[in-house]
Amino acid sequence: MIYGSMADSNAGAGKMEKIVALCKRRGFIFQSSEIYGGLNGAWDYGPLGVELKRNLKDYWWRSMTQLRDDIVGFDGSILMNRAVWQASGHEATFSDPMVACKQCRKLFRADQVWPAIEQSDWYDALAEMFALGQLDTLNLKKWAETKGRRDAPNLALVRNLPVTLSWLSEKVQADGGLSKLSVKEFIQYLATEQFAQTGLITPCPHCGGELSEPRAFNLMFKTYIGATQDESSITYLRPETAQAMFVQFKNVLDTTQKKLPFGIAQIGKAFRNEINPRNFTFRSREFEQMEVEFFVKPGTGPEWLEKWREERLSWYESIGIPRAKIHVLTVPDKDRAFYSQGTYDLEYEFPFGVQELEGIAHRGNYDLKQHAEHSKKPLEYFDEETKQKYLPEVVEPSAGVDRTVLALLCEAFDEETIKDDESGKEEVRTVLRFSPRMAPIKAAVFPLLKNKPELVAKAREIYGALQPLMKVAYADTAAIGRRYRRFDEIGTPFGITVDFETLEGAKEACTSATGAPIAAGEKDTVTLRHRDSMKQERIAIGDLFSWLLMKVA
Ligand code: ATP
């Protein structure tokens, strides 16, 4: 019996902590190199995580290259000639402005400093003091000598209390009093020991120290090819999969004789030396992308951009991410990549905020033009109809595998209070409500009792018959209720239990899960238990396989 969902306790950070813990506990995602203290920004997918990720990638691949006539698949190398990155502009411009703390030396992406400050251990108490107007010297002194000393030892207020307090009151008065300040400015005042020539200082989120001016930081991982490590052997781990598809455009075109509009699809690893990897797998240094470069006739880019936006929104719906949870951001001119003529970001409501899942960009003919110029090889398309040669425009839907896996986990995670049918006690049921299409394990087969050879033999037989068709599990330890719960927690949509009615015949007539009648006394039926509703019904073993296949297709 279900009493209710625990929606309130599943908001924000609390929910994320539970998801991270579940991922580790049940083998979805582990920290990379964990026994050596980990490696920031890298993650390993465990036995269940890899199934989930594979289901996602396989389904994307099928949607793009099998169910459509106008896209072909491709798998490029991760290491490419350095000239590719020079032509694409990555070597010169693939960078984020970055700031460093002069005291603790930590690095932050300039645009992420304030969000990091707001999440820091020391911010909340100060912001609350500010909101309540409790900003007298005594309160600030008390904070600086306790929490401040512990969590923000390099904040000017903590390092040099009397000086900061005295110029603060002077300065704030001169600026028209505290009521004129925003909380940001207030924090900056506390970070500025004395009014520097440059004005107010923004403090380091980690220790409260002074941050440097922003400087460009290239996100590509540099490496060397061959035995000598000099300028001539430099290349990079690819920061996106796209470029290989542009540089092989002509080969793909010539070998497939595709006509515009057509696309090339690829799934593969990408690497970015992110300054602050964070939010579990959301921002990693090694991740996978699923990208399509869709080549279209000049002038038709804008209309294809719209088509792809719709296409991708319904695709997310088909994997269990509702449209209402995806926000479409029209990226403003000033924030778009320099080559883009229009970009939509599809953003998902993650527990830590609304954040990008996929970018869909109209890249014009920028990439093909660059590669044609730098390689001095013609990359034009010959239009049979008009007898003209031209460079096509490109629309690129670029999705993150890891971010989508994370969105699937966040969307699926649920907790509810239920009453255990056997013990009558209340308990919390954790359930991952994956769509059957995405679920790592589609069904679990159980003999009701482990010590009844006839039950075990029949369950093993069903399990063996299902194995070639889909990923299934077999479990015979613990009470059946406990087994159901274990599989709920990893998102297995169906439980198949071989019980005494399977062997001896159904106790009473009923309707099968397929809608067909089951007669009293009919043998070879099993209990089919549904993860989400916990409803149980019977189904003939002969109907089970096609029924399951239809559900997980
Ligand atoms: P962000 O603004 O979050 O850094 P981006 O706009 O740089 O992302 P794109 O270059 O458009 O990202 O890459 C396409 C997709 O690749 C993103 O929508 C995202 O799903 C994925 N992606 C990009 N960077 C990362 C990362 N560091 N970790 C995980 N996935 C990423």
Side-chain angles (χ1 to χ4, degrees):
M1 177 191 280
I2 303 175
Y3 282 130
S5 143
M6 301 178 62
D8 287 351
S9 63
N10 278 340
K15 179 170 176 179
M16 250 351 266
E17 270 170 32
K18 288 180 185 176
I19 291 172
V20 175
L22 171 64
C23 282
K24 174 159 184 196
R25 187 170 71 245
R26 298 307 310 270
F28 281 90
I29 300 172
F30 309 120
Q31 196 186 10
S32 164
S33 328
E34 193 189 83
I35 60 169
Y36 289 103
L39 177 70
N40 204 2
W43 300 91
D44 295 337
Y45 287 79
L48 290 175
V50 73
E51 295 295 337
L52 176 61
K53 195 180 189 189
R54 220 165 245 282
N55 289 342
L56 174 73
K57 291 195 288 183
D58 288 351
Y59 182 63
W60 184 90
W61 191 252
R62 202 162 76 91
S63 311
M64 296 302 150
T65 68
Q66 186 179 328
L67 299 176
R68 298 179 64 119
D69 297 325
D70 56 357
I71 299 184
V72 292
F74 178 82
D75 188 22
S77 61
I78 289 175
L79 296 173
M80 297 172 75
N81 192 313
R82 180 184 183 181
V84 171
W85 308 111
Q86 288 166 330
S88 67
H90 281 82
E91 191 172 275
T93 63
F94 193 61
S95 57
D96 278 333
M98 179 198 71
V99 290
C101 174
K102 292 182 182 170
Q103 276 81 30
C104 74
R105 307 267 163 221
K106 283 213 178 312
L107 300 172
F108 300 90
R109 222 166 92 171
D111 63 340
Q112 287 163 12
V113 168
W114 277 105
I117 290 176
E118 284 161 16
Q119 281 176 17
S120 72
D121 293 334
W122 53 267
Y123 174 81
D124 279 351
L126 290 174
E128 194 179 317
M129 255 189 246
F130 181 80
L132 299 173
Q134 299 167 340
L135 296 172
D136 52 83
T137 312
L138 225 60
N139 273 335
L140 286 171
K141 185 168 181 290
K142 194 168 151 214
W143 179 86
E145 285 169 351
T146 53
K147 279 203 178 108
R149 192 166 292 163
R150 190 188 64 210
D151 298 330
N154 291 320
L155 196 72
L157 181 79
V158 179
R159 260 187 305 130
N160 205 344
L161 186 70
V163 175
T164 311
L165 277 181
S166 86
W167 87 262
L168 176 70
S169 61
E170 215 176 275
K171 193 67 204 159
V172 169
Q173 289 313 322
D175 279 1
L178 278 172
S179 60
K180 292 275 188 304
L181 294 188
S182 66
V183 63
K184 265 192 185 178
E185 284 166 323
F186 167 63
I187 299 284
Q188 286 178 305
Y189 271 102
L190 301 185
T192 313
E193 198 163 309
Q194 33 199 311
F195 222 34
Q197 304 286 324
T198 45
L200 288 171
I201 284 166
T202 296
C204 164
H206 181 66
C207 71
E210 184 179 344
L211 294 176
S212 69
E213 286 299 303
R215 68 177 175 85
F217 174 79
N218 197 298
L219 296 178
M220 286 198 295
F221 281 97
K222 191 188 265 183
T223 189
Y224 298 90
I225 304 274
T228 45
Q229 300 201 346
D230 59 20
E231 191 59 21
S232 67
S233 60
I234 289 175
T235 193
Y236 304 93
L237 302 189
R238 68 181 178 199
E240 59 176 33
T241 63
Q243 294 306 319
M245 295 184 269
F246 294 126
V247 299
Q248 295 290 7
F249 167 72
K250 202 72 177 148
N251 276 335
V252 174
L253 187 66
D254 293 347
T255 51
T256 59
Q257 280 93 41
K258 283 279 173 199
K259 302 273 168 281
L260 291 184
F262 84 95
I264 307 179
Q266 180 174 208
I267 299 177
K269 287 267 185 181
F271 303 83
R272 295 184 189 177
N273 199 0
E274 296 280 358
I275 296 156
N276 303 123
R278 66 180 192 298
N279 290 330
F280 199 20
T281 56
F282 178 83
R283 188 171 298 289
S284 309
R285 290 187 168 130
E286 173 177 342
F287 55 97
E288 271 182 284
Q289 293 183 311
M290 308 183 278
E291 295 194 301
V292 174
E293 303 309 325
F294 200 75
F295 300 94
V296 303
K297 290 189 179 177
T300 62
E303 116 202 15
W304 278 102
L305 184 63
E306 300 307 311
K307 281 190 193 158
W308 272 107
R309 186 183 77 151
E310 285 316 301
E311 169 77 22
R312 298 299 301 146
L313 283 169
S314 27
W315 188 84
Y316 282 109
E317 215 156 25
S318 71
I319 59 168
I321 300 181
R323 209 167 171 126
K325 290 278 195 74
I326 299 199
H327 300 227
V328 180
L329 171 77
T330 307
V331 180
D333 293 357
K334 67 175 174 45
D335 297 336
R336 276 204 312 260
F338 64 91
Y339 50 75
S340 162
Q341 298 183 17
T343 302
Y344 291 121
D345 280 352
L346 306 189
E347 302 178 323
Y348 172 72
E349 286 178 17
F350 286 100
F352 44 83
V354 177
Q355 302 266 346
E356 178 178 332
L357 202 51
E358 166 160 353
I360 308 175
H362 171 11
R363 299 175 74 120
N365 65 11
Y366 170 78
D367 305 272
L368 290 178
K369 193 156 160 249
Q370 288 295 107
H371 289 304
E373 274 173 27
H374 281 72
S375 67
K376 313 223 175 345
K377 300 278 169 12
L379 294 179
E380 286 115 336
Y381 171 84
F382 178 69
D383 192 324
E384 307 268 2
E385 275 170 36
T386 61
K387 307 289 177 215
Q388 281 178 326
K389 272 186 175 179
Y390 52 76
L391 287 176
E393 291 179 356
V394 175
V395 173
E396 176 197 73
S398 170
V401 173
D402 310 78
R403 284 189 189 177
T404 311
V405 167
L406 187 58
L408 287 172
L409 283 163
C410 294
E411 191 58 38
F413 182 86
D414 195 16
E415 285 182 324
E416 60 188 11
T417 311
I418 58 163
K419 193 167 173 179
D420 185 71
D421 291 337
E422 287 159 25
S423 65
K425 281 193 198 141
E426 272 187 20
E427 61 175 83
V428 173
R429 180 172 90 116
T430 302
V431 50
L432 288 179
R433 301 186 190 278
F434 292 128
S435 76
R437 188 175 266 162
M438 290 296 119
I441 294 174
K442 310 299 181 190
V445 184
F446 313 110
L448 183 66
L449 298 172
K450 190 185 174 180
N451 55 5
K452 292 278 179 249
E454 306 89 318
L455 294 178
V456 170
K458 188 58 106 184
R460 281 259 168 221
E461 193 187 312
I462 296 174
Y463 174 62
L466 280 170
Q467 263 182 319
L469 306 178
M470 63 190 75
K471 183 82 186 164
V472 281
Y474 177 87
D476 59 9
T477 47
I480 192 71
R482 290 259 305 282
R483 278 182 268 168
Y484 285 154
R485 231 46 109 238
R486 263 191 4 234
F487 281 91
D488 287 344
E489 202 186 38
I490 59 167
T492 306
F494 307 109
I496 297 156
T497 307
V498 174
D499 46 29
F500 291 106
E501 290 184 65
T502 311
L503 307 176
E504 292 159 11
K507 273 197 193 125
E508 51 195 41
C510 60
T511 306
S512 151
T514 62
I518 290 178
E522 187 174 327
K523 290 190 179 166
D524 282 332
T525 64
V526 288
T527 299
L528 179 68
R529 190 253 189 194
H530 299 264
R531 173 199 67 202
D532 292 343
S533 62
M534 296 190 288
K535 194 175 123 194
Q536 301 188 11
E537 52 191 342
R538 297 204 75 75
I539 185 167
I541 296 172
D543 293 337
L544 179 67
F545 305 110
S546 54
W547 187 91
L548 277 175
L549 277 175
M550 211 177 64
K551 293 286 172 192
V552 305

